[in-house]
């Protein structure tokens, strides 16, 4: 398929164009797309996606315009194509005018599917987002400050129970096997289940022994299939299906002393929740609020509210684990003197998001602790890990990330009641007992008070452990202590409260449409990531139109820049 080119010389007598020019505000997203479409999404920008032979495609500038409007309005592919066909505003934005001109009157919804696939396979899959960000930078709207946050993205599949997971994984293995291998696999199945349907077997579900026998028989089928494939050279689809089956039975089942397989009374740390979307996970935004699917992470310029980067992770990934990816543009501009590994969970890393975090409060402007041009990163306590703070300090980037204070269950003495002397590598308790810190290979350590707690008069206020109190001292202990001290300063508090909540409003803009907003439209982390990034591009464009985006002879400008 060859590159299709849109007509760039509009028809001044076209009735759709004349009506929209009179009816639409100058700064509406439709008017801006009509006026600036060729600068934002020129057909030539997508030339690498097409070959030099074949029929001409729908002009990519038209398709890109439809994709952006689709994400803004939360529409399915079919709904978006219908809107393009019958809504004069969409046709005006796409530059095709009325129905008696030379523009594309309509096209199939599969054109949008094809464009997304071409972008995903290209060397620049995020080019639509990059265009909006480059326009914002050229207009002087992107500074050196970033605010980070994440939001749940519910998956597009049903969460499966253990029995459904096992049967679905076996059915998937049988489906990708060739005729001979499928016959061998079916020969080792002993449960009597033909796995032809995704419906659960008919049993008396009130009978506990029947339920247990059902789980045991399907688990034995799964293990028999894996035993048959052991040490064989497999095709990639069969290998992937076998690995999924092994993961499913390994995460949810345990074997009794009698050799019977049963559902384990625990939840695996990285539990697969669906064989249809094996990358989706159980997630928790707070300790009381769970979800299934993914997390959408964003970095926002707090002054212009332009999204500068997006990342999608599994729902169980901590916010700090992807923070470095969100600020790579800032890190590239500053030399990192002491690189830190933020991809490994540290003992001193706080909870994902504490329940008492006052993020949503809108607070008035206060005295700034950071200069207007100084690089700075803001985030809630999920980003206040020692590793991430060390990364920011090494890159000379000011931290506006909240660090969670030490906590202890049951009102016992918290960690800050102990005197930690990093120079001497010792810890002194409130009872004035000093013990050494025993360091591990990675630099993290633990102070054991042990027998010293046995006759301490403060024991009831300090610990309930039979072996006495222990205090963990991480490799980033000094960095965390310095951050907690800095956060007590009124200037830091005022700066945080004036800047941090702005990302919440931007997340509200991203999530305001249920379809394709909070609820993912596609399956798989890569596709969800691409869709979330396209949503950010659409929201950026809407923000730029509000600010009065207009092209100039030398670049871009806005009415407020």
């Amino acid at each position: 398929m060859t590159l299709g080119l849109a007509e760039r010389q509009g028809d001044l007598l076209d009735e759709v164009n004349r009506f929209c020019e009179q009816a639409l505000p100058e700064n509406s997203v439709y008017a801006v797309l009509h006026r600036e479409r060729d600068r934002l999404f020129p057909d030539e920008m997508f030339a690498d996606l097409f070959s030099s032979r074949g029929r001409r495609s729908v002009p990519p500038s038209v398709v890109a315009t439809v994709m952006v409007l689709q994400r803004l309005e939360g529409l399915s592919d079919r709904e978006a194509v219908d809107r393009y066909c019958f809504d004069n505003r969409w046709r005006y934005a796409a530059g095709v005018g009325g129905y008696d001109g030379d523009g594309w009157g309509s096209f199939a919804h599969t054109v949008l599917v094809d464009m997304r696939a071409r972008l995903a396979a290209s060397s620049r899959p995020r080019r639509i987002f990059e265009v909006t960000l480059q326009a914002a930078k050229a207009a002087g709207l992107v500074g050196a400050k970033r605010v980070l946050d994440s939001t749940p993205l519910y998956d597009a599949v049903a969460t499966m129970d253990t029995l459904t997971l096992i049967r679905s994984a076996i059915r998937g293995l049988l489906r990708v096997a060739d005729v001979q291998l499928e016959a061998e696999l079916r020969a080792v199945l002993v449960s009597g289940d033909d796995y032809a349907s995704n419906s659960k077997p008919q049993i008396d579900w009130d009978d506990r022994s029947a339920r247990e026998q059902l789980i045991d028989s399907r688990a034995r089928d799964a293990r028999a299939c894996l035993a048959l494939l052991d040490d064989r050279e497999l095709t990639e689809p069969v290998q992937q299906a076998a690995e999924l089956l092994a993961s499913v039975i390994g995460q949810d089942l345990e074997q009794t002393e009698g050799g019977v397989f049963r559902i384990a009374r625990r939840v695996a740390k990285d539990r697969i929740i669906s064989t249809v979307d094996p990358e989706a996970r159980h997630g928790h935004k707070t300790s009381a609020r769970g979800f299934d699917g993914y997390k959408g992470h964003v970095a926002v310029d707090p002054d212009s509210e332009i999204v500068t980067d997006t990342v999608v992770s599994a729902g169980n990934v901590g916010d700090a684990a992807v923070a470095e990816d969100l600020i790579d543009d800032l890190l590239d501009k500053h030399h990192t003197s002491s690189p830190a590994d933020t991809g490994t969970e540290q003992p001193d890393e706080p909870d994902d998001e504490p329940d008492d975090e006052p993020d949503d409060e809108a607070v008035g402007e206060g005295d700034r602790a950071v200069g207007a041009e100084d690089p700075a990163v803001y985030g809630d306590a999920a980003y206040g890990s020692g590793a991430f703070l060390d990364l920011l300090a090494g890159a000379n980037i000011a931290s506006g990330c909240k660090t969670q204070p030490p906590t202890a269950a049951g009102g016992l003495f918290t960690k800050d009641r102990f005197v930690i002397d990093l120079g001497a590598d010792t810890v002194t308790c409130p009872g004035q007992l000093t013990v050494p810190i025993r360091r591990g290979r990675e630099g993290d350590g633990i102070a054991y008070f042990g027998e010293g707690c046995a006759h301490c008069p403060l024991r009831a206020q300090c610990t309930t452990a039979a072996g006495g109190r222990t205090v963990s001292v991480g490799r980033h202990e000094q960095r965390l202590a310095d951050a907690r001290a800095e956060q007590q300063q009124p200037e830091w508090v005022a700066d945080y409260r004036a800047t941090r909540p702005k990302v919440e409003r931007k997340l509200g803009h991203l999530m305001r449409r249920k379809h394709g907003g909070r609820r993912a439209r596609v399956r798989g982390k890569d596709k969800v990531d691409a869709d979330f990034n396209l949503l950010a591009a659409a929201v950026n464009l809407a923000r730029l139109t509000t600010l009065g985006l207009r092209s100039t002879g030398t670049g871009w400008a806005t009415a407020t820049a």
Side-chain angles (χ1 to χ4, degrees):
M1 183 178 292
T2 59
L3 177 68
L5 299 176
E7 178 62 46
R8 292 184 175 177
Q9 188 171 0
D11 185 358
L12 297 177
L13 301 179
D14 186 271
E15 291 185 357
V16 168
N17 288 344
R18 285 191 300 165
F19 171 75
C20 289
E21 285 172 0
Q22 295 172 4
L24 293 174
E26 186 179 356
N27 66 340
S28 74
V29 67
Y30 308 102
V32 171
L33 280 170
H34 174 82
R35 185 177 67 242
E36 309 293 354
R37 185 190 69 259
D38 289 337
R39 286 287 306 275
L40 290 168
F41 312 124
D43 294 321
E44 292 76 11
M45 186 177 83
F46 302 90
D48 62 301
L49 305 182
F50 299 89
S51 65
S52 58
R53 301 180 60 183
R55 61 183 179 86
R56 287 198 175 274
S57 68
V58 179
S61 60
V62 174
V63 180
T65 299
V66 172
M67 290 172 68
V68 168
L69 292 176
Q70 174 190 19
R71 301 304 287 115
L72 271 181
E73 301 189 18
L75 304 177
S76 68
D77 289 345
R78 293 180 186 273
E79 290 170 333
V81 170
D82 283 347
R83 192 70 63 87
Y84 166 80
C85 185
F86 299 110
D87 192 321
N88 286 340
R89 297 172 302 174
W90 281 51
R91 299 185 66 81
Y92 178 68
V96 297
Y99 302 93
D100 54 354
D102 297 330
W104 282 77
S106 64
F107 54 83
H109 71 279
T110 53
V111 170
L112 299 176
V113 180
D114 178 71
M115 177 59 82
R116 289 195 295 268
R118 291 175 184 270
L119 285 171
S122 72
S123 59
R124 289 179 57 208
R126 293 186 163 201
R127 66 189 71 189
I128 295 178
F129 173 79
E130 291 168 0
V131 164
T132 65
L133 183 57
Q134 289 167 3
K137 289 181 177 179
L141 296 174
V142 179
K145 294 181 180 179
R146 300 290 182 270
V147 187
L148 313 182
D149 204 0
S150 69
T151 190
L153 301 176
Y154 304 149
D155 56 19
V157 297
T159 301
M160 297 179 175
D161 58 35
T162 300
L163 176 62
T164 305
L165 280 171
I166 296 173
R167 294 192 71 258
S168 179
I170 294 176
R171 293 178 68 243
L173 179 60
L174 295 172
R175 185 167 55 249
V176 298
D178 58 33
V179 175
Q180 179 179 351
L181 181 57
E182 181 183 0
E184 293 181 35
L185 289 169
R186 290 191 177 279
V188 299
L189 301 177
V190 296
S191 66
D193 193 336
D194 61 5
Y195 296 97
S197 169
N198 57 8
S199 301
K200 290 182 179 180
Q202 297 298 315
I203 65 168
D204 181 3
W205 292 98
D206 294 327
D207 186 345
R208 180 176 179 177
S209 62
R211 297 197 305 268
E212 292 176 347
Q213 193 277 329
L214 179 64
I215 290 292
D216 180 67
S217 62
R218 274 39 176 196
R220 294 185 184 281
D221 279 354
R223 289 175 65 90
C225 290
L226 294 175
L228 177 68
L229 299 177
D230 193 27
D231 292 332
R232 285 197 179 192
E233 186 174 345
L234 306 174
T235 63
E236 184 176 355
V238 174
Q239 178 71 28
Q240 293 175 349
E243 290 175 355
L244 179 59
L245 177 59
S247 298
V248 165
I249 64 173
Q251 69 182 9
D252 283 355
L253 299 179
E254 62 184 10
Q255 196 168 15
T256 65
E257 294 180 357
V260 177
F261 290 96
R262 67 182 182 186
I263 298 176
R265 297 189 178 278
R266 54 174 168 75
V267 178
K269 183 177 181 180
D270 197 38
R271 183 175 184 270
I272 296 171
I273 61 176
S274 171
T275 58
V276 179
D277 188 354
E279 295 176 296
R281 293 292 185 270
H282 293 305
H284 285 273
K285 187 59 178 173
T286 69
S287 59
R289 178 177 158 216
F291 64 94
D292 292 334
Y294 300 91
K295 273 187 183 179
H297 306 262
V298 298
V300 176
D301 183 285
D303 298 318
S304 62
E305 297 188 23
I306 294 294
V307 179
T308 59
D309 205 353
T310 66
V311 174
V312 166
S313 70
N316 60 349
V317 173
D319 290 358
V322 300
E324 184 175 352
D325 295 332
L326 291 172
I327 61 168
D328 51 7
D329 58 333
L330 293 183
L331 295 174
D332 290 343
K333 295 180 181 179
H334 300 82
H335 175 67
T336 303
S337 59
S338 58
D341 180 15
T342 59
T344 304
E345 186 177 351
Q346 306 297 342
D348 57 349
E349 184 167 342
D351 294 337
D352 188 44
E353 183 170 319
D355 293 339
D356 58 352
E357 181 64 43
D359 289 337
D360 295 331
E361 296 182 9
V363 184
E365 292 287 340
D367 295 333
R368 296 286 176 157
V370 180
E373 301 301 326
D374 296 335
V377 173
Y378 299 82
D380 58 26
Y383 300 94
S385 67
F388 186 56
L389 294 177
D390 201 48
L391 175 71
L392 296 179
N396 298 315
I397 298 174
S399 172
C401 300
K402 203 167 203 178
T403 300
Q404 189 174 352
T407 60
L412 300 176
F413 288 152
T414 56
K415 185 177 178 179
D416 55 2
R417 295 291 301 273
F418 294 74
V419 178
I420 300 175
D421 187 342
L422 295 176
D425 230 20
T426 61
V427 177
T428 303
C429 73
Q432 302 307 309
L433 175 64
T434 300
V435 298
I437 300 173
R438 301 179 186 178
R439 296 283 182 180
R441 184 177 301 175
E442 299 296 328
D444 300 312
I446 300 177
Y448 296 90
F449 288 88
E451 296 179 357
C453 297
H455 304 291
C456 179
L458 300 177
R459 177 184 176 91
Q461 300 171 259
C462 186
T463 183
T464 59
R469 179 68 182 260
T470 60
V471 175
S472 298
V473 181
R475 74 194 78 168
H476 304 292
E477 193 67 36
Q478 188 61 56
R479 187 76 66 191
L480 291 169
D482 293 343
R484 292 183 182 115
E486 182 184 18
Q487 290 167 23
Q488 302 304 312
Q489 302 299 320
E491 295 83 3
W492 192 97
V493 174
D495 185 38
Y496 179 86
R497 291 183 174 180
T499 307
R500 165 66 182 83
K502 293 181 180 180
V503 71
E504 303 289 351
R505 178 165 58 247
K506 187 53 58 177
L507 289 176
H509 294 163
L510 290 165
M511 297 293 106
R512 66 193 183 100
R513 305 288 187 185
K514 182 177 180 180
H515 181 72
R518 181 71 68 196
R519 175 73 64 181
R521 304 185 315 133
V522 289
R523 298 185 299 229
K525 187 171 76 71
D526 290 342
K527 290 184 178 180
V528 175
D529 181 85
D531 209 46
F532 188 65
N533 186 254
L534 181 59
L535 174 60
V539 171
N540 272 354
L541 185 60
R543 177 61 178 165
L544 290 172
T545 61
T546 300
L547 298 175
L549 180 71
R550 183 175 293 275
S551 60
T552 65
T554 57
W556 297 93
T558 62
T560 58

